[in-house]
Amino acid sequence: DLSSYDLIVVGSGFFGLTVAERVADGLGKRVLVLERRNHIGGNAYSEAEPETGIEIHRYGAHLFHTSNERVWAYVNRFTSFTNYQHRVFARVGEQVYAFPMNLALINQFFGKAHTPDEARSLIAEQSAEVETGQAANLEEKAISLVGRPLYEAFVKGYTAKQWQTDPTELDASIITRLPVRYTYDNRYFNDTHEGLPTDGYTAWLERMAAHENIDVVLDTDYFAVREQLPADVPVVYTGPLDRYFDHAEGELGWRTLDFEMSVEPTGDFQGTSVINYNDAEVPFTRILEFRHMHPERDYPKDRTVIVREYSRFAESGDEPYYPINTPDDRAKLDRYRELARKETANRGVLFGGRLGTYKYLDMHMAIGSALTMYENRLVPHFTEGRPLSGTEAED
Ligand code: FAD
Ligand code: UDP
């Protein structure tokens, strides 16, 4: 009986499941989750590769990290985490460097042992052509941070493959995700908390969806069943924002990835989880080797699973992964946000998550943003009858 639901959630990724779990458990309301794919979890979904039992992340390597204490406390209700610390290596020519930019990389690249102060003045000299505060796009930002030689070796080719978009068209924020350090610390993330879910991502996601007030229906596209749903039940939509409005303002640009998986006849293919291939001539961006994400597990010693990752522009029918966010995209996004505001006010549809907001959100950000939507919009709505649109101040 569809009229017995208090809330419909479209999409079972971390955003949708966090909203569903909070409304089900925190407010005792009944939630229907609709999922287009044949499994829950969105892009964080993982599964055992059948031949080796090695846990693979079907939609690309997912590393959990956060400095948000509210998110950390919340996620620990559903899973414990291993003490895995992510490190990435970068291959340029015949050399492999400890990434991100750090003293080991700088010394190896320039063939000289610099002290931290010497490295700082070297990079300051090389980056003097652009002032960081003035940098208007990815290319200027990167050069202002690391200088031209390191930009050309480690950023230019990789970014060209990842985005196939002129780096002067890309947002500077993409590159500020990558730290530059004048120490030998090569941890990829700076966050307080980091680790991988002990029993895997899917076990974690299933525990979030297990609440008795939540029903999940797989293989169901919201747009195919929308007419059958009661019109007065609020909806939290986490699918693509432009699709919701039938692309009325044009298509938002996305990058998609192709994953080429293989089982290799060795116990260790590359000695670490991720090696980036920074040269423009190598067609893939990186190779993932999943066994290294769980060194504590008892995996086969004679076989390993690797995935080569290729990036390209998403056509219709492809999975949208990374918002490209060119100035043209941002102009369309402003118009879609206006439509979304009206849809919230007129029809009780809230938009959230990576696809629903066209934002490059990490898992902890998607979960944090869902907790905020719950507290600022859904709790006041369900307990005091306040409108879902809330007030501007709550955005
Ligand atoms: P999603 O996980 O995309 O879930 C949306 C769900 O909605 C999907 O299951 C989709 O099938 C469903 N849906 C869409 N349209 C409809 C419809 N019409 N009807 C029904 N269902 C629909 N984050 C990290 O923190 N660390 C990482 O290392 C990391 N690595 C990443 C690597 C890659 C390659 C990618 C693409 C992302 C990575 N992320 C990482 C980000 C992470 O995947 C997101 O933060 C997270 O998936 C966001 O959750 P979400 O619920 O917003 O979206
Ligand atoms: N990047 C780069 N060289 C690298 C890794 C990253 O130039 O070896 C740039 C690239 O533009 C990329 C961005 O930094 O899109 C963010 O990288 P990150 O590893 O955070 O991307 P993700 O893992 O989310 O794909």
Side-chain angles (χ1 to χ4, degrees):
D1 176 14
L2 289 170
S3 65
S4 70
Y5 292 105
D6 302 295
L7 178 70
I8 294 165
V9 172
V10 181
S12 64
F14 270 119
F15 193 98
L17 288 184
T18 300
V19 164
E21 189 283 332
R22 285 292 70 224
V23 169
D25 191 63
L27 299 173
K29 300 287 179 190
R30 295 201 61 214
V31 184
L32 174 64
V33 179
L34 301 176
E35 172 54 56
R36 196 166 51 89
R37 292 174 176 167
N38 63 3
H39 62 77
I40 65 160
N43 288 345
Y45 178 74
S46 72
E47 61 199 328
E49 188 285 321
E51 195 183 316
T52 59
I54 294 173
E55 180 183 349
I56 56 160
H57 304 167
R58 194 191 281 183
Y59 305 95
H62 276 66
L63 295 315
F64 189 81
H65 55 96
T66 188
S67 296
N68 182 326
E69 294 300 334
R70 181 173 69 141
V71 168
W72 182 241
Y74 179 68
V75 300
N76 272 276
R77 292 192 204 169
F78 309 100
T79 182
S80 59
F81 289 84
T82 67
N83 59 8
Y84 178 82
Q85 296 183 340
H86 196 45
R87 290 187 166 77
V88 173
F89 293 80
R91 180 160 171 164
V92 173
E94 288 302 307
Q95 292 276 329
V96 175
Y97 299 86
F99 211 63
M101 314 271 180
N102 69 93
L103 205 44
L105 180 147
I106 293 169
N107 286 344
Q108 187 181 349
F109 186 77
F110 293 104
K112 183 174 173 236
H114 299 86
T115 64
D117 287 341
E118 288 165 353
R120 258 179 225 284
S121 48
L122 174 76
I123 301 302
E125 225 169 84
Q126 298 188 342
S127 61
E129 60 180 288
V130 188
E131 216 181 295
T132 308
Q134 303 296 103
N137 57 55
L138 186 146
E139 176 163 288
E140 290 176 12
K141 188 76 177 188
I143 293 173
S144 78
L145 292 171
V146 304
R148 195 171 283 275
L150 292 177
Y151 168 74
E152 295 202 333
F154 293 96
V155 179
K156 196 179 176 184
Y158 189 93
T159 300
K161 290 191 283 187
Q162 175 76 358
W163 298 97
Q164 287 172 310
T165 299
D166 184 340
T168 61
E169 283 266 294
L170 291 169
D171 202 73
S173 66
I174 292 175
I175 201 75
T176 47
R177 288 160 59 88
L178 288 180
V180 184
R181 304 198 190 99
Y182 295 95
T183 67
Y184 290 96
D185 175 11
N186 71 322
R187 278 185 68 173
Y188 206 60
F189 302 117
N190 282 323
D191 282 319
T192 323
H193 306 289
E194 179 177 355
L196 289 171
T198 312
D199 315 316
Y201 280 97
T202 294
W204 168 11
L205 292 153
E206 279 170 353
R207 285 179 209 130
M208 292 181 76
H211 198 282
E212 58 180 5
N213 291 346
I214 301 178
D215 291 328
V216 180
V217 181
L218 300 176
D219 296 303
T220 303
D221 190 319
Y222 169 64
F223 298 107
V225 299
R226 180 149 73 164
E227 308 304 318
Q228 300 155 44
L229 301 169
D232 55 344
V233 175
V235 173
V236 172
Y237 174 82
T238 74
L241 180 60
D242 52 356
R243 168 67 187 90
Y244 185 92
F245 296 104
D246 289 320
H247 306 106
E249 302 292 340
E251 295 202 5
L252 294 167
W254 293 90
R255 303 292 297 167
T256 193
L257 300 174
D258 294 317
F259 300 106
E260 189 183 280
M261 186 176 81
S262 60
V263 177
E264 299 292 326
T266 170
D268 198 350
F269 180 82
Q270 63 180 13
T272 193
S273 309
V274 178
I275 298 188
N276 290 352
Y277 282 72
N278 297 57
D279 293 332
E281 304 78 68
V282 180
F284 44 87
T285 51
R286 50 190 174 191
I287 297 184
L288 320 177
E289 185 174 8
F290 283 105
R291 67 178 308 127
H292 292 295
M293 293 187 192
H294 287 284
E296 78 286 1
R297 289 186 188 166
D298 190 18
Y299 283 146
K301 299 203 168 28
D302 58 345
R303 280 162 303 155
T304 193
V305 182
I306 64 161
V307 169
R308 288 189 172 82
E309 218 175 280
Y310 299 80
S311 172
R312 62 184 170 78
F313 191 79
E315 309 283 348
S316 73
D318 288 329
E319 292 290 347
Y321 288 135
Y322 296 97
I324 303 177
N325 231 337
T326 61
D328 183 42
D329 287 322
R330 288 195 287 275
K332 286 178 197 161
L333 182 59
D334 282 342
R335 300 199 291 273
Y336 279 120
R337 285 199 178 134
E338 193 47 44
L339 290 176
R341 256 191 294 275
K342 288 187 189 139
E343 195 71 4
T344 305
N346 300 338
R347 278 188 242 243
V349 180
L350 290 166
F351 296 80
R354 199 176 48 91
L355 302 166
T357 58
Y358 192 68
K359 278 192 196 146
Y360 198 110
L361 297 179
D362 277 328
M363 293 178 278
H364 67 282
M365 297 158 96
I367 295 165
S369 152
L371 292 174
T372 300
M373 177 184 282
Y374 169 71
E375 279 158 20
N376 290 354
R377 303 296 172 100
L378 297 163
V379 170
H381 176 75
F382 283 118
T383 61
E384 300 161 29
R386 298 253 304 273
L388 284 167
S389 47
T391 59
E392 290 293 315
E394 289 161 348
D395 280 330

